[in-house]
Amino acid sequence: MSDHALPLPAGEPHDRASTELRPGLQPADHLRRVLERASAEAPEEAQGHFLVLTHRGPDPDALGACEGLRRLIEVGFGYRATVATLGRIHRAENLALVRTLELELVDYTEIDLSRFAGVTLVDTQPEFGHTVLPDTPPLVAVFDHHVPPEKDGKRPDAPHKDVRLGLGATSSMLYEYLRDAGIQLDERTASALFCGVRYDTMDLSRNASALDEEAYFETFRLCDRTKIAAIDKPPLPRSYYRAIASSMAAARQHGPLVLALLGKIENPETVAEMADFFLRMKGASWVVVGGAFEGEYVLSLRTDRSFGNAYPLMKRVLGGEGSFGGHGHIAGGRIHLEDQGESTIKSVERALRANALRVIAPTSDDDEEAIPPEGRPVGE
Ligand SMILES: [Mn+2]
């Protein structure tokens, strides 16, 4: 993702430069043709079967968009679709979504890639660090709303690429395809899409376009409201409360910034959950929370309405390390850790803290050894 790419106007139907889309051809029709061709060109045992993938640790928007695309491929185009995810789902709400709606997710490491005519990606793009993509079968379609990452030249463009930066949720995009293809939404798909739009736009209060609004209300009309309520307030593991306690102890306020670098964490979702938690504090305009989990230092950044975009801030906080992405007031990043030792984690945190404080009070010398002000504990 790069912050120099200007957002497309909301509602821009397509990345025409990267498709063979003819003027007047609807995105759903274009996708149908791309899938038809991919299926015809595939070995016989793979024909008519498509793989749907998303980023690691899928959130409700990723899961909703997967379900929307599954429905489109199966009911709209008459092919088969398999949704595969990689890695555990950690966040209680996301687990509740999968379980309550009984979503059929296959483990990516257990699939036979030779059975698919093509791969599709939702809520992410090929170059993102948190996304796996096989070399074969070919990538045929991408649906996303994040700022595109810098191209590494290793990945060919998908023949169907729909990236709309003006959209609050990828689920809204899949809702539009289903609507345009004239496909009835069943309760499960409607519920999954609704959760996607709801959480990525905070009930339409954040980054929401006219299409997000339509998708939100139309899917809400058709969803299972008892299940929606169960997904919104799932039981929380005890580790969630431990994470609150350690985040409270670690968090420091530096003017408008709340910074909480947590060392080792038990659950990678802690950083996003605690970033949301601290952003609600009066006087906090932006929040950075980070922690080490399974060989990576993961980061979450949030800004409030007045403070501007999260993406360029995350870029500065990382200072050229790791990979990152984001949209609107949300950004996430990760740095590979050479080892899991205390001192490695500490030195990553020292650098991140220095970078973040430099955003508030830029100094002329970029001395890494400069001792940053301590900040004050939150809640005092
Ligand atoms: Mn999304």
Side-chain angles (χ1 to χ4, degrees):
M1 324 198 182
S2 65
D3 51 323
H4 55 255
L6 285 171
L8 295 170
E12 174 72 23
H14 237 78
D15 183 349
R16 281 158 206 255
S18 63
T19 68
E20 294 166 24
L21 187 65
R22 279 186 247 123
L25 197 59
Q26 288 293 312
D29 293 326
H30 183 266
L31 177 63
R32 180 198 302 271
R33 292 187 190 196
V34 166
L35 298 190
E36 264 169 20
R37 195 176 56 200
S39 184
E41 287 171 356
E44 206 177 321
E45 69 274 14
Q47 286 179 0
H49 192 186
F50 291 92
L51 180 62
V52 179
L53 297 177
T54 184
H55 50 81
R56 277 171 197 262
D59 57 14
D61 186 37
L63 295 166
C66 283
E67 288 312 304
L69 185 55
R70 186 209 299 275
R71 180 102 180 146
L72 182 67
I73 290 172
E74 292 189 341
V75 179
F77 302 151
Y79 295 128
R80 277 197 302 147
T82 293
V83 179
T85 54
L86 183 66
R88 279 176 56 202
I89 296 176
H90 293 275
R91 196 171 182 134
E93 287 80 355
N94 304 357
L95 268 179
L97 192 155
V98 173
R99 289 181 183 150
T100 308
L101 298 180
E102 297 173 15
L103 304 185
E104 205 184 303
L105 305 179
V106 180
D107 187 332
Y108 178 80
T109 59
E110 284 170 13
I111 53 174
D112 175 1
L113 288 165
S114 70
R115 312 290 303 176
F116 300 98
V119 178
T120 61
L121 272 187
V122 302
D123 201 43
T124 185
Q125 293 170 58
E127 287 86 3
F128 284 141
H130 63 348
T131 297
V132 287
L133 190 62
D135 291 326
T136 55
L139 177 67
V140 290
V142 173
F143 309 85
D144 193 25
H145 65 139
H146 298 94
V147 182
E150 314 223 341
K151 291 223 172 292
D152 58 8
K154 291 185 206 136
R155 298 284 183 191
D157 252 341
H160 184 89
K161 181 175 155 197
D162 199 344
V163 177
R164 302 185 216 173
L165 305 186
L167 213 53
T170 306
S171 294
S172 303
M173 196 187 292
L174 270 303
Y175 158 82
E176 186 188 57
Y177 278 81
L178 289 161
R179 181 198 70 190
D180 291 351
I183 297 158
Q184 198 86 41
L185 288 180
D186 63 321
E187 210 169 62
R188 178 190 291 169
T189 311
S191 301
L193 288 172
F194 175 75
C195 288
V197 183
R198 137 171 262 190
Y199 294 113
D200 256 25
T201 67
M202 283 176 76
D203 286 306
L204 300 179
S205 70
R206 182 174 77 181
N207 307 332
S209 68
L211 177 60
D212 293 304
E213 199 174 300
E214 181 186 323
Y216 181 94
F217 289 118
E218 281 304 304
T219 54
F220 184 59
R221 227 164 40 77
L222 300 166
C223 73
D224 183 322
R225 300 197 190 152
T226 311
K227 289 181 178 170
I228 293 297
I231 292 164
D232 197 47
K233 294 273 184 288
L236 295 166
R238 295 182 65 84
S239 62
Y240 179 87
Y241 297 91
R242 281 198 294 275
I244 292 181
S246 58
S247 301
M248 285 301 297
R252 293 290 180 276
Q253 189 177 6
H254 306 267
L257 166 68
V258 173
L259 188 61
L261 303 175
L262 307 175
K264 271 190 189 164
I265 52 178
E266 294 178 67
N267 181 337
E269 295 289 349
T270 294
V271 295
E273 284 169 344
M274 292 304 126
D276 285 331
F277 176 70
F278 287 122
L279 190 61
R280 291 176 62 184
M281 195 173 82
K282 280 188 177 172
S285 299
W286 64 298
V287 177
V288 178
V289 182
F293 184 79
E294 289 182 355
E296 284 186 318
Y297 198 87
V298 292
L299 282 158
S300 199
L301 194 154
R302 299 282 187 274
T303 60
D304 72 6
R305 225 164 256 288
S306 59
F307 206 73
N309 281 335
Y311 183 89
L313 280 172
M314 180 59 99
K315 190 173 186 173
R316 293 181 65 181
V317 169
L318 283 172
E321 296 288 327
S323 62
F324 65 109
H327 53 88
H329 299 284
I330 295 178
R334 54 189 65 228
I335 299 170
H336 175 74
L337 292 170
E338 289 308 321
D339 61 78
Q340 313 240 39
E342 193 83 354
S343 65
T344 304
I345 296 170
K346 280 255 152 54
S347 83
V348 167
E349 293 190 335
R350 247 194 322 272
L352 292 169
R353 176 175 289 111
N355 293 343
L357 294 178
R358 213 171 282 139
V359 174
I360 306 171
T363 50
S364 50
D365 63 25
D366 268 0
D367 183 5
E368 288 288 336
E369 295 304 306
I371 298 163
E374 281 303 301
R376 57 189 166 99
V378 300
E380 279 181 17

PDB file of all heavy atoms in Angstrom, residues 245-270:
ATOM      1  N   ALA A 245      -5.411  -5.465  31.532  1.00  0.00           N
ATOM      2  CA  ALA A 245      -4.575  -5.076  32.672  1.00  0.00           C
ATOM      3  C   ALA A 245      -3.160  -4.723  32.220  1.00  0.00           C
ATOM      4  O   ALA A 245      -2.617  -3.676  32.617  1.00  0.00           O
ATOM      5  CB  ALA A 245      -4.537  -6.223  33.694  1.00  0.00           C
ATOM      6  N   SER A 246      -2.558  -5.547  31.353  1.00  0.00           N
ATOM      7  CA  SER A 246      -1.177  -5.251  30.972  1.00  0.00           C
ATOM      8  C   SER A 246      -1.113  -4.041  30.047  1.00  0.00           C
ATOM      9  O   SER A 246      -0.138  -3.283  30.074  1.00  0.00           O
ATOM     10  CB  SER A 246      -0.501  -6.486  30.355  1.00  0.00           C
ATOM     11  OG  SER A 246      -1.220  -6.920  29.244  1.00  0.00           O
ATOM     12  N   SER A 247      -2.142  -3.827  29.249  1.00  0.00           N
ATOM     13  CA  SER A 247      -2.159  -2.639  28.378  1.00  0.00           C
ATOM     14  C   SER A 247      -2.275  -1.365  29.210  1.00  0.00           C
ATOM     15  O   SER A 247      -1.625  -0.362  28.926  1.00  0.00           O
ATOM     16  CB  SER A 247      -3.333  -2.700  27.397  1.00  0.00           C
ATOM     17  OG  SER A 247      -3.239  -3.845  26.603  1.00  0.00           O
ATOM     18  N   MET A 248      -3.105  -1.424  30.242  1.00  0.00           N
ATOM     19  CA  MET A 248      -3.250  -0.272  31.129  1.00  0.00           C
ATOM     20  C   MET A 248      -1.916   0.068  31.787  1.00  0.00           C
ATOM     21  O   MET A 248      -1.543   1.230  31.934  1.00  0.00           O
ATOM     22  CB  MET A 248      -4.297  -0.541  32.221  1.00  0.00           C
ATOM     23  CG  MET A 248      -5.726  -0.492  31.768  1.00  0.00           C
ATOM     24  SD  MET A 248      -6.200   1.101  31.061  1.00  0.00           S
ATOM     25  CE  MET A 248      -5.982   2.180  32.465  1.00  0.00           C
ATOM     26  N   ALA A 249      -1.203  -0.971  32.187  1.00  0.00           N
ATOM     27  CA  ALA A 249       0.078  -0.748  32.867  1.00  0.00           C
ATOM     28  C   ALA A 249       1.126  -0.188  31.905  1.00  0.00           C
ATOM     29  O   ALA A 249       1.966   0.623  32.291  1.00  0.00           O
ATOM     30  CB  ALA A 249       0.569  -2.065  33.484  1.00  0.00           C
ATOM     31  N   ALA A 250       1.063  -0.597  30.643  1.00  0.00           N
ATOM     32  CA  ALA A 250       2.113  -0.208  29.691  1.00  0.00           C
ATOM     33  C   ALA A 250       1.824   1.115  28.986  1.00  0.00           C
ATOM     34  O   ALA A 250       2.749   1.773  28.500  1.00  0.00           O
ATOM     35  CB  ALA A 250       2.276  -1.311  28.637  1.00  0.00           C
ATOM     36  N   ALA A 251       0.563   1.520  28.919  1.00  0.00           N
ATOM     37  CA  ALA A 251       0.200   2.673  28.084  1.00  0.00           C
ATOM     38  C   ALA A 251       0.727   3.980  28.664  1.00  0.00           C
ATOM     39  O   ALA A 251       0.699   4.209  29.866  1.00  0.00           O
ATOM     40  CB  ALA A 251      -1.316   2.730  27.940  1.00  0.00           C
ATOM     41  N   ARG A 252       1.216   4.821  27.759  1.00  0.00           N
ATOM     42  CA  ARG A 252       1.674   6.158  28.158  1.00  0.00           C
ATOM     43  C   ARG A 252       1.042   7.179  27.230  1.00  0.00           C
ATOM     44  O   ARG A 252       0.914   6.946  26.032  1.00  0.00           O
ATOM     45  CB  ARG A 252       3.195   6.270  28.044  1.00  0.00           C
ATOM     46  CG  ARG A 252       3.963   5.417  29.030  1.00  0.00           C
ATOM     47  CD  ARG A 252       3.810   5.943  30.468  1.00  0.00           C
ATOM     48  NE  ARG A 252       4.528   5.144  31.450  1.00  0.00           N
ATOM     49  CZ  ARG A 252       4.045   4.030  31.996  1.00  0.00           C
ATOM     50  NH1 ARG A 252       2.844   3.570  31.663  1.00  0.00           N
ATOM     51  NH2 ARG A 252       4.754   3.370  32.885  1.00  0.00           N
ATOM     52  N   GLN A 253       0.688   8.312  27.822  1.00  0.00           N
ATOM     53  CA  GLN A 253       0.137   9.379  27.000  1.00  0.00           C
ATOM     54  C   GLN A 253       1.188  10.450  26.773  1.00  0.00           C
ATOM     55  O   GLN A 253       1.824  10.927  27.713  1.00  0.00           O
ATOM     56  CB  GLN A 253      -1.093   9.981  27.674  1.00  0.00           C
ATOM     57  CG  GLN A 253      -1.824  10.939  26.744  1.00  0.00           C
ATOM     58  CD  GLN A 253      -3.098  11.502  27.343  1.00  0.00           C
ATOM     59  OE1 GLN A 253      -3.389  11.271  28.506  1.00  0.00           O
ATOM     60  NE2 GLN A 253      -3.824  12.249  26.539  1.00  0.00           N
ATOM     61  N   HIS A 254       1.383  10.785  25.499  1.00  0.00           N
ATOM     62  CA  HIS A 254       2.294  11.864  25.123  1.00  0.00           C
ATOM     63  C   HIS A 254       1.457  12.879  24.356  1.00  0.00           C
ATOM     64  O   HIS A 254       1.240  12.713  23.154  1.00  0.00           O
ATOM     65  CB  HIS A 254       3.413  11.349  24.206  1.00  0.00           C
ATOM     66  CG  HIS A 254       4.171  10.180  24.767  1.00  0.00           C
ATOM     67  ND1 HIS A 254       5.325  10.331  25.502  1.00  0.00           N
ATOM     68  CD2 HIS A 254       3.941   8.841  24.698  1.00  0.00           C
ATOM     69  CE1 HIS A 254       5.779   9.124  25.853  1.00  0.00           C
ATOM     70  NE2 HIS A 254       4.957   8.225  25.384  1.00  0.00           N
ATOM     71  N   GLY A 255       0.933  13.876  25.029  1.00  0.00           N
ATOM     72  CA  GLY A 255       0.050  14.813  24.340  1.00  0.00           C
ATOM     73  C   GLY A 255      -1.121  14.073  23.705  1.00  0.00           C
ATOM     74  O   GLY A 255      -1.811  13.313  24.391  1.00  0.00           O
ATOM     75  N   PRO A 256      -1.314  14.232  22.394  1.00  0.00           N
ATOM     76  CA  PRO A 256      -2.470  13.591  21.747  1.00  0.00           C
ATOM     77  C   PRO A 256      -2.267  12.101  21.486  1.00  0.00           C
ATOM     78  O   PRO A 256      -3.201  11.417  21.073  1.00  0.00           O
ATOM     79  CB  PRO A 256      -2.566  14.332  20.409  1.00  0.00           C
ATOM     80  CG  PRO A 256      -1.153  14.754  20.115  1.00  0.00           C
ATOM     81  CD  PRO A 256      -0.521  15.060  21.455  1.00  0.00           C
ATOM     82  N   LEU A 257      -1.056  11.611  21.733  1.00  0.00           N
ATOM     83  CA  LEU A 257      -0.738  10.206  21.411  1.00  0.00           C
ATOM     84  C   LEU A 257      -0.821   9.316  22.644  1.00  0.00           C
ATOM     85  O   LEU A 257      -0.273   9.643  23.692  1.00  0.00           O
ATOM     86  CB  LEU A 257       0.685  10.137  20.832  1.00  0.00           C
ATOM     87  CG  LEU A 257       1.335   8.746  20.730  1.00  0.00           C
ATOM     88  CD1 LEU A 257       0.623   7.886  19.690  1.00  0.00           C
ATOM     89  CD2 LEU A 257       2.819   8.868  20.392  1.00  0.00           C
ATOM     90  N   VAL A 258      -1.512   8.183  22.490  1.00  0.00           N
ATOM     91  CA  VAL A 258      -1.404   7.125  23.494  1.00  0.00           C
ATOM     92  C   VAL A 258      -0.610   5.996  22.869  1.00  0.00           C
ATOM     93  O   VAL A 258      -0.945   5.513  21.781  1.00  0.00           O
ATOM     94  CB  VAL A 258      -2.781   6.617  23.959  1.00  0.00           C
ATOM     95  CG1 VAL A 258      -2.616   5.402  24.880  1.00  0.00           C
ATOM     96  CG2 VAL A 258      -3.529   7.719  24.690  1.00  0.00           C
ATOM     97  N   LEU A 259       0.465   5.617  23.553  1.00  0.00           N
ATOM     98  CA  LEU A 259       1.377   4.614  23.036  1.00  0.00           C
ATOM     99  C   LEU A 259       1.435   3.464  24.034  1.00  0.00           C
ATOM    100  O   LEU A 259       1.701   3.676  25.206  1.00  0.00           O
ATOM    101  CB  LEU A 259       2.758   5.271  22.890  1.00  0.00           C
ATOM    102  CG  LEU A 259       3.885   4.524  22.209  1.00  0.00           C
ATOM    103  CD1 LEU A 259       3.540   4.187  20.778  1.00  0.00           C
ATOM    104  CD2 LEU A 259       5.155   5.382  22.269  1.00  0.00           C
ATOM    105  N   ALA A 260       1.152   2.260  23.547  1.00  0.00           N
ATOM    106  CA  ALA A 260       1.219   1.090  24.434  1.00  0.00           C
ATOM    107  C   ALA A 260       1.981  -0.015  23.719  1.00  0.00           C
ATOM    108  O   ALA A 260       1.465  -0.630  22.803  1.00  0.00           O
ATOM    109  CB  ALA A 260      -0.188   0.623  24.811  1.00  0.00           C
ATOM    110  N   LEU A 261       3.214  -0.210  24.129  1.00  0.00           N
ATOM    111  CA  LEU A 261       4.040  -1.264  23.537  1.00  0.00           C
ATOM    112  C   LEU A 261       4.163  -2.356  24.579  1.00  0.00           C
ATOM    113  O   LEU A 261       4.700  -2.142  25.667  1.00  0.00           O
ATOM    114  CB  LEU A 261       5.398  -0.686  23.104  1.00  0.00           C
ATOM    115  CG  LEU A 261       5.250   0.485  22.109  1.00  0.00           C
ATOM    116  CD1 LEU A 261       6.589   1.122  21.785  1.00  0.00           C
ATOM    117  CD2 LEU A 261       4.522   0.065  20.833  1.00  0.00           C
ATOM    118  N   LEU A 262       3.605  -3.506  24.278  1.00  0.00           N
ATOM    119  CA  LEU A 262       3.231  -4.480  25.303  1.00  0.00           C
ATOM    120  C   LEU A 262       4.208  -5.628  25.503  1.00  0.00           C
ATOM    121  O   LEU A 262       3.942  -6.527  26.294  1.00  0.00           O
ATOM    122  CB  LEU A 262       1.847  -5.063  24.968  1.00  0.00           C
ATOM    123  CG  LEU A 262       0.732  -4.035  24.717  1.00  0.00           C
ATOM    124  CD1 LEU A 262      -0.546  -4.754  24.288  1.00  0.00           C
ATOM    125  CD2 LEU A 262       0.470  -3.195  25.958  1.00  0.00           C
ATOM    126  N   GLY A 263       5.314  -5.648  24.761  1.00  0.00           N
ATOM    127  CA  GLY A 263       6.186  -6.821  24.861  1.00  0.00           C
ATOM    128  C   GLY A 263       5.491  -8.014  24.241  1.00  0.00           C
ATOM    129  O   GLY A 263       4.740  -7.874  23.274  1.00  0.00           O
ATOM    130  N   LYS A 264       5.690  -9.200  24.851  1.00  0.00           N
ATOM    131  CA  LYS A 264       5.023 -10.394  24.321  1.00  0.00           C
ATOM    132  C   LYS A 264       3.536 -10.369  24.627  1.00  0.00           C
ATOM    133  O   LYS A 264       3.135 -10.010  25.729  1.00  0.00           O
ATOM    134  CB  LYS A 264       5.641 -11.648  24.942  1.00  0.00           C
ATOM    135  CG  LYS A 264       6.816 -12.172  24.154  1.00  0.00           C
ATOM    136  CD  LYS A 264       7.245 -13.537  24.636  1.00  0.00           C
ATOM    137  CE  LYS A 264       8.560 -13.901  23.947  1.00  0.00           C
ATOM    138  NZ  LYS A 264       9.254 -14.996  24.591  1.00  0.00           N
ATOM    139  N   ILE A 265       2.735 -10.759  23.650  1.00  0.00           N
ATOM    140  CA  ILE A 265       1.285 -10.823  23.881  1.00  0.00           C
ATOM    141  C   ILE A 265       0.761 -12.227  23.604  1.00  0.00           C
ATOM    142  O   ILE A 265       1.373 -12.996  22.871  1.00  0.00           O
ATOM    143  CB  ILE A 265       0.511  -9.781  23.013  1.00  0.00           C
ATOM    144  CG1 ILE A 265       0.917  -9.899  21.532  1.00  0.00           C
ATOM    145  CG2 ILE A 265       0.768  -8.375  23.529  1.00  0.00           C
ATOM    146  CD1 ILE A 265       0.163  -8.940  20.624  1.00  0.00           C
ATOM    147  N   GLU A 266      -0.384 -12.551  24.228  1.00  0.00           N
ATOM    148  CA  GLU A 266      -0.950 -13.899  24.090  1.00  0.00           C
ATOM    149  C   GLU A 266      -1.811 -14.019  22.847  1.00  0.00           C
ATOM    150  O   GLU A 266      -2.064 -15.120  22.354  1.00  0.00           O
ATOM    151  CB  GLU A 266      -1.851 -14.209  25.299  1.00  0.00           C
ATOM    152  CG  GLU A 266      -1.128 -14.321  26.621  1.00  0.00           C
ATOM    153  CD  GLU A 266      -2.127 -14.568  27.745  1.00  0.00           C
ATOM    154  OE1 GLU A 266      -2.749 -15.642  27.777  1.00  0.00           O
ATOM    155  OE2 GLU A 266      -2.297 -13.661  28.595  1.00  0.00           O
ATOM    156  N   ASN A 267      -2.346 -12.895  22.385  1.00  0.00           N
ATOM    157  CA  ASN A 267      -3.312 -12.909  21.287  1.00  0.00           C
ATOM    158  C   ASN A 267      -3.011 -11.720  20.367  1.00  0.00           C
ATOM    159  O   ASN A 267      -2.974 -10.580  20.839  1.00  0.00           O
ATOM    160  CB  ASN A 267      -4.717 -12.780  21.903  1.00  0.00           C
ATOM    161  CG  ASN A 267      -5.829 -12.805  20.858  1.00  0.00           C
ATOM    162  OD1 ASN A 267      -5.616 -12.501  19.680  1.00  0.00           O
ATOM    163  ND2 ASN A 267      -7.011 -13.174  21.287  1.00  0.00           N
ATOM    164  N   PRO A 268      -2.774 -11.952  19.090  1.00  0.00           N
ATOM    165  CA  PRO A 268      -2.395 -10.850  18.204  1.00  0.00           C
ATOM    166  C   PRO A 268      -3.502  -9.797  18.030  1.00  0.00           C
ATOM    167  O   PRO A 268      -3.234  -8.671  17.626  1.00  0.00           O
ATOM    168  CB  PRO A 268      -2.096 -11.543  16.870  1.00  0.00           C
ATOM    169  CG  PRO A 268      -2.854 -12.824  16.919  1.00  0.00           C
ATOM    170  CD  PRO A 268      -2.880 -13.233  18.361  1.00  0.00           C
ATOM    171  N   GLU A 269      -4.735 -10.175  18.337  1.00  0.00           N
ATOM    172  CA  GLU A 269      -5.840  -9.215  18.200  1.00  0.00           C
ATOM    173  C   GLU A 269      -5.818  -8.166  19.307  1.00  0.00           C
ATOM    174  O   GLU A 269      -6.492  -7.148  19.225  1.00  0.00           O
ATOM    175  CB  GLU A 269      -7.191  -9.941  18.231  1.00  0.00           C
ATOM    176  CG  GLU A 269      -7.411 -10.861  17.062  1.00  0.00           C
ATOM    177  CD  GLU A 269      -7.646 -10.119  15.751  1.00  0.00           C
ATOM    178  OE1 GLU A 269      -7.851  -8.885  15.794  1.00  0.00           O
ATOM    179  OE2 GLU A 269      -7.609 -10.775  14.706  1.00  0.00           O
ATOM    180  N   THR A 270      -5.038  -8.425  20.360  1.00  0.00           N
ATOM    181  CA  THR A 270      -4.964  -7.481  21.474  1.00  0.00           C
ATOM    182  C   THR A 270      -4.604  -6.076  20.993  1.00  0.00           C
ATOM    183  O   THR A 270      -5.146  -5.085  21.483  1.00  0.00           O
ATOM    184  CB  THR A 270      -3.905  -7.962  22.501  1.00  0.00           C
ATOM    185  OG1 THR A 270      -4.360  -9.181  23.073  1.00  0.00           O
ATOM    186  CG2 THR A 270      -3.692  -6.939  23.601  1.00  0.00           C
TER     187      THR A 270
END
